[in-house]
Amino acid sequence: MKHYEITSILKPDLTENAIKELISNIEKNIKEIGGNIVDKENWGHRDLAYPIKNNKKGYYIFFQIDINGDNLDKFRNFSNLNENIIRYLIINVEEHEKLPTAMAKIDKENEEK
């Protein structure tokens, strides 16, 4: 099994319950295709660098997973067919970094100010 990091951007206008349900569906899909979720972070609503499908903001979720690379096509299909996922990025990493990530640290620092 290889180590991967997945960042998904969800539609910003989803309700809190819809976001939780979609995250649960993403986790379920990862497990169904033989993946193991090592850790995850919710980065929350953020501005996009450019509009994607007429959205200027998105809800970011970050996963660290271990999975056989051959099964990632099934995750890509799931993400491409889900209309509430506006973009995703899958990166192969040598090893998972310890959480919190730099994105979460920035949020924490901004909250403390």
Side-chain angles (χ1 to χ4, degrees):
M1 289 194 148
K2 292 184 178 181
H3 307 298
Y4 291 92
E5 293 179 350
I6 299 174
T7 305
S8 294
I9 306 174
L10 314 180
K11 281 187 173 179
D13 56 351
L14 297 174
T15 65
E16 190 173 323
N17 286 337
I19 289 171
K20 287 180 184 178
E21 184 178 329
L22 183 53
I23 292 170
S24 175
N25 287 341
I26 292 171
E27 292 173 347
K28 181 179 164 188
N29 180 265
I30 290 170
K31 291 176 184 174
E32 284 177 355
I33 61 175
N36 175 41
I37 299 172
V38 176
D39 217 336
K40 72 175 181 177
E41 279 185 346
N42 286 343
W43 293 345
H45 287 91
R46 298 186 173 276
D47 292 331
L48 300 173
Y50 55 88
I52 301 173
K53 298 181 182 175
N54 296 323
N55 294 295
K56 294 182 180 181
K57 292 185 178 252
Y59 188 91
Y60 285 70
I61 182 79
F62 173 79
F63 292 96
Q64 293 176 329
I65 67 169
D66 294 331
I67 192 168
N68 182 343
D70 296 336
N71 294 341
L72 283 177
D73 283 338
K74 294 175 185 173
F75 179 80
R76 286 184 185 98
N77 288 339
F78 167 81
S79 294
N80 288 334
L81 293 174
N82 192 316
E83 63 187 27
N84 291 319
I85 299 174
I86 58 175
R87 193 70 100 234
Y88 64 92
L89 176 67
I90 303 170
I91 298 174
N92 184 358
V93 294
E94 290 295 319
E95 61 182 62
H96 296 298
E97 77 176 83
K98 294 194 184 250
L99 297 183
T101 60
M103 292 292 284
K105 288 178 187 176
I106 290 170
D107 282 346
K108 192 172 186 176
E109 289 172 4
N110 288 339
E111 288 176 6
E112 292 174 356
K113 289 182 180 180

